[in-house]
Each structure stands twice: as C-alpha cells, then as structure tokens.
Amino acid sequence: MATNLLKIGKSVLMLKLKAGAFFRKYVLELRRCRMAEGCMRGLRYGMVFFNLLFWLGGCGILGVGVWLSVTQGNFATLSSSLPSLSAANLLIVVGTIIMVIGCLGCVGAVKESRPLLLSFFILLLLIFFLEILSITLFFVYQDQIDHYAQRDLKRGLQLFGTEGNVGLTNAWMIVQTDFRCCGVTNHTDWFDVYNASRVPDSCCLEYSDNCGLENPGTWWTAPCYERVKDWLQENLVALWIFAMCTALTQILGLVFSMTMFCHAVKVETFYA
C-alpha cells in the first residue's frame, strides 16, 4: 500500500514538473509572439507612414508636371530628337510611378495583402536594378554620351524661336541667362542658326532688346555644355548623398515588404 502511494506521489510530482515546464515554455513562447507581433506592428506602421509620404510626394510631383504642361507647354525641352523629354513630361511620369508604388506599399501594409506586397517588392526591385544599370552604362559610355548630347543639342538650336517650339526656346533662354553662357560648345554655334554674326539676347552680359546684334564683346562666350557639367561637378557630393539616400530608402522598402510578405505567408500557413 505504501509503495503504491509512493508511486502515485512520484507520478503526481512528475506531472506537476511537466506542467510547470510546459507553462514556462508557453509563457516564453507567448512573450516571443507578443514581441514578434509588436515588431510586425511597428514595421507595418512604418511602411504605411513612409509609403503615405511617398504617395503624397508623387501627387505633388504629378501636380507640378501637369501645371507645367498646361501653362508652359514643353518646358525645358532641349533635345530635338527627343521632344517628349521635357521637364513637364518627366515630372508626370516620375510622379505617377511614385504614386502607384506608394499606393501599393501603403494598402499592402495595412491589409497585409500578399499580392500587393509582392507587387510592391517586384516593382521596387525592378526600378532599383534599372537605376544601377543606367548609372553603369552612363560611366561606361560617358564619352559617347557626351558626343551624342552635344550633337543633338546643336541640332536643337535650329528650332530656336520657331513656331511650335516655345518650350525649347524658353529652356535655352533660361539656361543661358542662369549659367551665363552662350551656345552648346561656343557662342559661334548660333551663327549657323541665324546665318549671321548674331546670338540670342539671352547671351548678352546686360540684357536688352536686340543686344545679340551688337559687339561680341558684350556677349557671354562660355559654352553652356561645359558650364552645366561644371555645375554638376561642384554639386557632386550633394548628388551622391541624394543617390545614396534614395538607394537606402529603396533597400529598406525591399527588406520591409519581403519581411511582411513572409510573415503573412507563415500566418496563412499556420491557420490553414
């Protein structure tokens, strides 16, 4: 009898120990789940907040592009072979892309929708690779790009002041006034346009009507192409900082969206 009671006591003690171990493991797992849930909630809120900012920024860029297109026409169009490559069109395209990506990321994070999160990831990854490819090709073919750009810009001078090319005309006037330059590679580039020793009035040191007909000593002589390149070189650090911040933002967006996508897959598998 005593032996049976001892066995029963040992069995009860073992059950209590196992129950205690199970309870401790359950509490620990519950804490881990709560921590994971808190991390995912913070990640979700961060995704929603930043993508909402991107969407609003895209709306603003799109609005500016539409306003420029309506009020200024093909503003800032310098290329004759790519007349659609204007500041207004670029802003419209960039603004639309940012709006679409921001909307996908925001709605996908709120609803934890796998299709939307995956679409956001794929689009962002595609844009990231295209940016890397564009930068690589630019540095590899820089000399050829310089030669083509100068030739195309000189060809575009022939359209200066002609009907239907208000955007190109305004763009050249703004560039020459702001950068204090004249022509693409030299002020004599304009001689072929006018078939005379004449330049646009925006090339003058002191602007006045028909000042481009006066003595060459009153004109800017620096080439605009080199002036713009020098300006880019002077602001190279700021451009690289902007590029690095953009790349970092895109990488974080890729990591966060894929993390949420994998979490959504695990949750769906667990409850299946």
Side-chain angles (χ1 to χ4, degrees):
M1 185 69 178
T3 304
N4 291 334
L5 290 174
L6 183 60
K7 288 182 178 180
I8 293 172
K10 286 183 178 180
S11 298
V12 171
L13 180 61
M14 290 296 296
L15 286 173
K16 286 184 177 181
L17 290 175
K18 288 182 179 180
F22 175 79
F23 180 74
R24 285 193 297 271
K25 187 181 292 186
Y26 173 77
V27 172
L28 182 61
E29 192 66 27
L30 185 62
R31 288 178 179 175
R32 289 178 179 173
C33 290
R34 286 179 177 175
M35 289 178 61
E37 185 180 353
C39 291
M40 288 306 302
R41 187 182 296 113
L43 187 61
R44 187 186 309 121
Y45 290 157
M47 280 277 292
V48 171
F49 176 73
F50 284 111
N51 280 288
L52 184 60
L53 288 181
F54 291 155
W55 185 81
L56 292 174
C59 290
I61 294 173
L62 178 62
V64 173
V66 172
W67 176 77
L68 281 177
S69 179
V70 172
T71 60
Q72 303 293 328
N74 292 326
F75 177 76
T77 302
L78 297 177
S79 174
S80 60
S81 59
L82 296 172
S84 298
L85 191 64
S86 63
N89 291 340
L90 285 175
L91 289 175
I92 290 173
V93 172
V94 171
T96 302
I97 293 174
I98 293 176
M99 280 182 62
V100 171
I101 293 178
C103 184
L104 285 175
C106 188
V107 177
V110 170
K111 294 184 175 294
E112 292 191 12
S113 170
R114 288 192 303 160
L116 292 179
L117 288 171
L118 187 60
S119 300
F120 174 82
F121 178 84
I122 292 174
L123 281 176
L124 199 59
L125 184 64
L126 180 62
I127 291 173
F128 185 71
F129 281 144
L130 286 176
E131 290 172 348
I132 294 177
L133 179 63
S134 300
I135 294 173
T136 303
L137 291 176
F138 174 79
F139 283 109
V140 171
Y141 298 102
Q142 188 170 2
D143 293 337
Q144 292 90 327
I145 292 174
D146 274 345
H147 177 72
Y148 173 80
Q150 291 182 35
R151 185 180 61 184
D152 188 60
L153 290 171
K154 287 183 178 180
R155 192 183 301 121
L157 295 181
Q158 302 294 330
L159 303 177
F160 183 86
T162 58
E163 186 178 356
N165 291 287
V166 178
L168 184 143
T169 302
N170 291 337
W172 269 112
M173 291 178 66
I174 292 172
V175 168
Q176 293 184 142
T177 302
D178 290 349
F179 286 93
R180 299 181 177 183
C181 58
C182 191
V184 179
T185 57
N186 198 295
H187 69 281
T188 56
D189 293 337
W190 290 107
F191 293 176
D192 296 330
V193 177
Y194 291 106
N195 292 320
S197 297
R198 179 187 176 183
V199 297
D201 295 341
S202 56
C203 284
C204 298
L205 300 176
E206 294 184 5
Y207 181 85
S208 62
D209 291 337
N210 296 321
C211 61
L213 294 170
E214 298 176 0
N215 191 298
T218 61
W219 305 336
W220 301 113
T221 56
C224 290
Y225 192 82
E226 293 300 324
R227 276 294 178 90
V228 173
K229 286 184 65 176
D230 292 341
W231 180 84
L232 291 174
Q233 288 290 338
E234 292 171 0
N235 294 274
L236 194 60
V237 175
L239 292 174
W240 274 114
I241 291 174
F242 175 77
M244 294 301 294
C245 290
T246 302
L248 179 61
T249 303
Q250 291 174 335
I251 291 172
L252 290 176
L254 291 171
V255 173
F256 290 168
S257 60
M258 184 51 62
T259 302
M260 292 193 66
F261 175 80
C262 294
H263 175 73
V265 171
K266 288 182 180 179
V267 170
E268 187 171 321
T269 304
F270 179 78
Y271 286 106

